[in-house]
Amino acid sequence: MNKKLVKRYSVLIILFFLPVAFLLMLYPAKHNFIALDVIKENVEDISGISEFELKDHITVLAFFGKTPVQSATAASNLKQLIYDKFKGFKKFQIIAVMAPEAESELPLLKKEIESHEDLKYWHFVFLEEDDILDLFESLKSDRPLDESLSTSRVFIVDGDLNQRGRLDDRTEMERERNADVYDLTSYDCVEVAIIKNKMSEDIRVLFTEYREKRKGNYDSSTRRANELKGITNEQEN
């Protein structure tokens, strides 16, 4: 056979089988992703005080308080880097909590973030101050709400009303030198790098977890217990 034909067919065979071989190598490890940690359980639902609910949804929870226009930068980053990316996923929503007196500012805030798309999966909820505080206090946060009941930080809440995040947010280099463990319980929307690189990835991992649960391939309670045990042992050592 002509050497040129042999070479050509050899290249074609390699190009065909190499991707297949790569996929076969990945297949046995497809369930070995690192699940997103449960930071706090029993987050307060809002179903009794609004028309929306957190349960059975994957929710990004924001607090815009009494002066939501002041949160325009954080809201714009959230819209462009999170909402636009995940709005097509089933049960995904953003809930922005505001005080009743902020209702007059809502049209201006929407104008700032709407662009040319609607906000079908972005809900604005008006709650009384006590209800806002109760909801916020049911979350784990290292910073309180400011005097206007707002914060640039947002929270991820899963369908079982668990706050999700990272129990260990150290870099690989920090782990190698055994730096103290620190967590990531919320995501600062003013910091584009955090939203783009960390929060986006964490939501993607959470959706992967839910997909595996539907297939019956994932036991979140067992995974959660093992993760907590590992973090506890590391902190003790």
Side-chain angles (χ1 to χ4, degrees), residues 152-215:
S152 62
R153 295 171 178 262
V154 297
F155 304 81
I156 298 175
V157 180
D158 69 19
D160 296 316
L161 301 179
N162 297 317
Q163 179 184 350
R164 307 297 286 267
R166 303 185 185 191
L167 291 172
D168 184 355
D169 191 37
R170 293 176 300 173
T171 64
E172 192 64 34
M173 187 178 296
E174 288 173 329
R175 291 191 183 97
E176 289 176 358
R177 59 183 174 85
N178 294 320
D180 291 340
V181 178
Y182 58 88
D183 57 22
L184 180 66
T185 62
S186 59
Y187 306 81
D188 193 341
C189 287
V190 174
E191 300 292 337
V192 172
I194 291 178
I195 301 303
K196 187 175 182 179
N197 300 326
K198 293 186 177 184
M199 185 178 182
S200 180
E201 173 65 12
D202 288 355
I203 293 177
R204 184 193 65 78
V205 168
L206 186 55
F207 274 114
T208 300
E209 175 187 322
Y210 270 65
R211 184 174 65 247
E212 295 304 315
K213 282 180 179 179
R214 289 196 298 271
K215 294 178 180 178

Side-chain angles (χ1 to χ4, degrees), residues 116-146:
H116 300 293
E117 304 174 31
D118 63 42
L119 298 173
K120 182 178 179 180
Y121 305 103
W122 187 318
H123 310 302
F124 298 91
V125 178
F126 297 95
L127 301 180
E128 297 296 334
E129 182 170 341
D130 288 345
D131 293 325
I132 293 175
L133 292 174
D134 287 344
L135 175 59
F136 186 80
E137 288 170 4
S138 73
L139 299 159
K140 180 178 180 181
S141 177
D142 56 357
R143 294 187 183 181
L145 294 175
D146 64 21

